[in-house]
Amino acid sequence: MAVPVAASLLCPLLLAVCWVVAAGTAAGEKILPSPSNLNYSFIHICTLNWTWNPPENISSGCNLEYSSDIVINGVPEDRREWSKSRFRVTDAHLNEEMRLRVRSECKNDNTSEPSSWVETSLLPKGIPGTAAVDLSCVWHNLEYMACTWRPGENASSDTNYTLFYWFDGLENPTKCSNSSVGQGIFECIFNFTFPKITSTYPPISILIRDDSEEIRPVCASKNPTTLVKPATPRQLTLSKTNDGIDVKWSESETFPKTCLRYEVIKYCNGDLDNGEIIPSEVNSVPVADIDANSKYTFKVRAKPKRECYNSDFHSDWSEEKSIGEKRDSTIYIVLIITIPLIVAVSTIILLVYLKRLKILILPPIPDPREILKRMFGDQNEDSQSPAKDDPMNAFDRLIIEEEINSLILTETSESTNPEKENR
Ligand SMILES: *[C@@H]1O[C@H](CO)[C@@H](O)[C@H](O)[C@H]1NC(C)=O
Ligand SMILES: *[C@@H]1O[C@H](CO)[C@@H](O)[C@H](O)[C@H]1NC(C)=O
Ligand SMILES: *[C@@H]1O[C@H](CO)[C@@H](O)[C@H](O)[C@H]1NC(C)=O
Ligand SMILES: *[C@@H]1O[C@H](CO)[C@@H](O)[C@H](O)[C@H]1NC(C)=O
Ligand SMILES: *[C@@H]1O[C@H](CO)[C@@H](O)[C@H](O)[C@H]1NC(C)=O
Ligand SMILES: *[C@@H]1O[C@H](CO)[C@@H](O)[C@H](O)[C@H]1NC(C)=O
Ligand SMILES: *[C@@H]1O[C@H](CO)[C@@H](O)[C@H](O)[C@H]1NC(C)=O
Ligand SMILES: *[C@@H]1O[C@H](CO)[C@@H](O)[C@H](O)[C@H]1NC(C)=O
């Protein structure tokens, strides 16, 4: 019972062991020797030249190539390259552990195994967390580069970071001297210009470090065409034409003519939420569909063209310019407030006036007691009422007017007297 079980367990095991040993010995004879003396040197600031010597005793039938790979902080970058030359140029990552490994291979030769890897590493200097972070650069108007960064979290607050830059065409790495610090953000600006006919730009290497050994340096390589930001368009002018408005602005002096496109925004009557975007390939655009009774406001910005630059930045918006008759909204507001006010006031005046008029047209019914009192108590005055001659008439009219006045008075006093209503 135990024998078959043991055999069934042993057989695959032995087979596996035998296979491994066979493979090892078979390949062992043909494993290539490794390259030697792997080392590196800096080219300018942020570029490394890794160099090595060829392996010895390579058979003449071997088509020798070197395979190399980069390992950052222990993680292979999978940037394998094969070459016949005995060096490889890479970007330097000064704030991370960087290793390069190389082995020799015979191409088109299945009789030999690649050599084992040889490695050399470049260890970061300084204290972890002191390197500058959040480095970003913008290439303004193809004229100057503006880079910003923040201090590392473990860097002391008075760290004096310095930016150095280099690109193909610059003899030596250059220190950026126009620097400033504000609200914990460092900025440095340096000239970065090329003849206008240039259409390809070299990558730019940027190194930020401090003279202190404790501050960890950091390197970055940037493709300038991804950082292009055009200048704000200037001299925006608007002119009325027969069938619309001509919007014009000054052409860029630094960009090739065909490398910018523009976005014009049209606002109608100050409605900033509903702008209409009008694209343009040149530095002017005709705008039709214009309402003569509206005010139009325009602003423009420039964008780099994809054919020239691989950049997503656009310029800032230009100043705004307006054209056209503006139906002044403040006048409307004043009218909206004053018209009802005038109507209300005049209504009140009219009502008061009407009341007086009503009294005149339809005199209030006199109090009978008053009439009786007048009729019987004051006969002398009453008998004189009908008009006989002119002076008397005038006198009578005065009296009648006085009576009316007194009636108005009694009427108003009566209306304000609640006791009268109760009776
Ligand atoms: C690597 O090169 C440097 C000089 O660039 C030299 O000082 C160093 O000894 C070299 N290392 C090896 C292992 O050859
Ligand atoms: C790198 O170093 C090797 C050996 O010194 C040299 O032949 C090669 O030109 C260097 N590469 C660059 C890009 O400088
Ligand atoms: C290269 O071959 C020679 C003889 O052909 C031998 O003496 C030498 O040890 C070999 N070197 C290596 C590194 O195998
Ligand atoms: C090597 O490749 C050739 C053809 O490409 C083939 O005939 C030969 O058997 C291969 N040898 C080994 C050891 O795989
Ligand atoms: C800052 O220093 C502390 C202590 O030395 C360390 O634990 C931390 O990881 C550092 N921060 C960074 C971002 O490396
Ligand atoms: C930075 O520079 C200032 C003046 O130049 C100096 O007082 C300060 O100590 C420096 N900071 C460091 C960390 O060296
Ligand atoms: C330094 O930068 C400012 C803008 O921040 C600029 O106005 C000034 O001209 C620059 N100075 C030099 C020497 O480039
Ligand atoms: C940058 O260029 C401008 C003119 O293009 C010049 O006035 C200025 O001095 C330059 N700045 C530096 C730091 O070279």
Side-chain angles (χ1 to χ4, degrees):
M1 279 285 278
V3 175
V5 172
S8 64
L9 276 173
L10 266 173
C11 280
L13 212 71
L14 280 171
L15 270 174
V17 168
C18 286
W19 182 82
V20 164
V21 169
T25 48
E29 293 166 353
K30 285 147 196 163
I31 283 185
L32 289 171
S34 300
S36 59
N37 288 334
L38 177 58
N39 206 346
Y40 61 79
S41 59
F42 277 92
I43 305 174
H44 304 294
I45 39 175
C46 293
T47 314
L48 286 168
N49 188 6
W50 304 84
T51 56
W52 54 88
N53 288 344
E56 289 177 35
N57 291 356
I58 292 293
S59 74
S60 56
C62 173
N63 180 15
L64 183 67
E65 280 198 7
Y66 302 101
S67 161
S68 60
D69 201 2
I70 299 161
V71 182
I72 306 282
N73 282 343
V75 181
E77 286 284 277
D78 217 16
R79 279 156 56 190
R80 190 78 73 87
E81 274 183 16
W82 281 267
S83 77
K84 285 194 172 293
S85 52
R86 285 182 286 111
F87 64 90
R88 179 171 173 181
V89 175
T90 69
D91 292 336
H93 294 237
L94 297 181
N95 56 342
E96 290 163 310
E97 188 214 15
M98 189 176 184
R99 274 186 288 166
L100 188 93
R101 54 185 194 182
V102 189
R103 69 180 187 186
S104 23
E105 295 178 8
C106 287
K107 282 281 162 177
N108 314 319
D109 177 7
N110 55 6
T111 61
S112 61
E113 288 279 310
S115 75
S116 54
W117 294 105
V118 282
E119 288 189 348
T120 192
S121 57
L122 174 60
L123 297 172
K125 298 187 175 80
I127 298 167
T130 54
V133 292
D134 293 346
L135 171 65
S136 76
C137 298
V138 175
W139 188 13
H140 289 272
N141 207 29
L142 307 181
E143 285 178 320
Y144 63 94
M145 194 71 89
C147 295
T148 58
W149 67 91
R150 289 191 304 107
E153 65 175 48
N154 286 348
S156 77
S157 56
D158 62 348
T159 304
N160 298 313
Y161 291 104
T162 311
L163 186 150
F164 294 84
Y165 60 94
W166 181 83
F167 51 90
D168 190 10
L170 203 61
E171 203 171 324
N172 289 309
T174 306
K175 181 177 166 177
C176 177
S177 49
N178 195 354
S179 64
S180 56
V181 197
Q183 294 177 328
I185 295 179
F186 288 75
E187 183 178 45
C188 201
I189 294 168
F190 54 92
N191 282 350
F192 190 63
T193 52
F194 296 90
K196 206 175 167 182
I197 44 150
T198 311
S199 58
T200 55
Y201 306 96
I204 183 166
S205 298
I206 288 166
L207 164 69
I208 299 176
R209 65 181 191 87
D210 181 271
D211 286 335
S212 153
E213 291 282 299
E214 293 175 353
I215 301 298
R216 187 167 278 191
V218 62
C219 254
S221 174
K222 303 216 173 246
N223 175 357
T225 83
T226 62
L227 309 172
V228 171
K229 175 177 167 140
T232 312
R234 285 177 298 116
Q235 291 161 19
L236 184 64
T237 55
L238 310 176
S239 47
K240 274 232 156 85
T241 58
N242 287 341
D243 50 353
I245 298 169
D246 243 358
V247 185
K248 262 204 174 105
W249 53 94
S250 65
E251 206 165 42
S252 169
E253 284 164 16
T254 54
F255 281 80
K257 256 194 165 78
T258 53
C259 281
L260 285 183
R261 60 197 178 89
Y262 301 92
E263 269 180 10
V264 177
I265 281 208
K266 179 180 93 175
Y267 299 112
C268 188
N269 289 331
D271 182 3
L272 296 186
D273 295 330
N274 294 310
E276 182 193 332
I277 296 174
I278 307 162
S280 176
E281 299 279 311
V282 290
N283 64 318
S284 69
V285 74
V287 181
D289 250 350
I290 292 299
D291 169 17
N293 288 328
S294 293
K295 179 192 179 186
Y296 292 96
T297 305
F298 295 90
K299 59 182 181 179
V300 63
R301 70 179 177 188
K303 286 183 155 187
K305 273 199 196 167
R306 281 279 160 196
E307 300 90 284
C308 304
Y309 314 100
N310 191 23
S311 167
D312 292 326
F313 292 113
H314 43 66
S315 79
D316 295 336
W317 286 108
S318 72
E319 58 173 341
E320 291 181 354
K321 282 281 169 71
S322 298
I323 196 168
E325 302 289 318
K326 189 184 180 184
R327 280 205 225 115
D328 200 344
S329 57
T330 55
I331 283 178
Y332 279 117
I333 290 166
V334 167
L335 286 182
I336 283 165
I337 293 171
T338 51
I339 287 175
L341 209 72
I342 290 165
V343 169
V345 168
S346 44
T347 318
I348 290 164
I349 291 168
L350 204 72
L351 281 174
V352 169
Y353 184 71
L354 272 178
K355 194 137 205 181
R356 292 186 115 185
L357 217 65
K358 190 181 137 199
I359 290 158
L360 282 177
I361 297 163
L362 306 162
I365 300 144
D367 196 337
R369 276 183 296 178
E370 201 75 20
I371 292 165
L372 286 173
K373 202 170 148 194
R374 275 196 207 171
M375 275 172 73
F376 297 106
D378 238 345
Q379 284 243 314
N380 289 345
E381 275 186 47
D382 236 41
S383 59
Q384 289 174 343
S385 58
K388 273 176 186 169
D389 51 22
D390 279 339
M392 211 53 208
N393 258 356
F395 187 63
D396 275 356
R397 249 182 268 131
L398 254 174
I399 286 170
I400 287 162
E401 270 173 29
E402 262 178 31
E403 270 181 9
I404 288 166
N405 281 347
S406 71
L407 277 170
I408 291 165
L409 280 172
T410 52
E411 159 76 7
T412 48
S413 69
E414 270 167 15
S415 66
T416 51
N417 192 356
E419 278 178 39
K420 172 86 175 131
E421 282 172 37
N422 291 342
R423 270 177 215 167

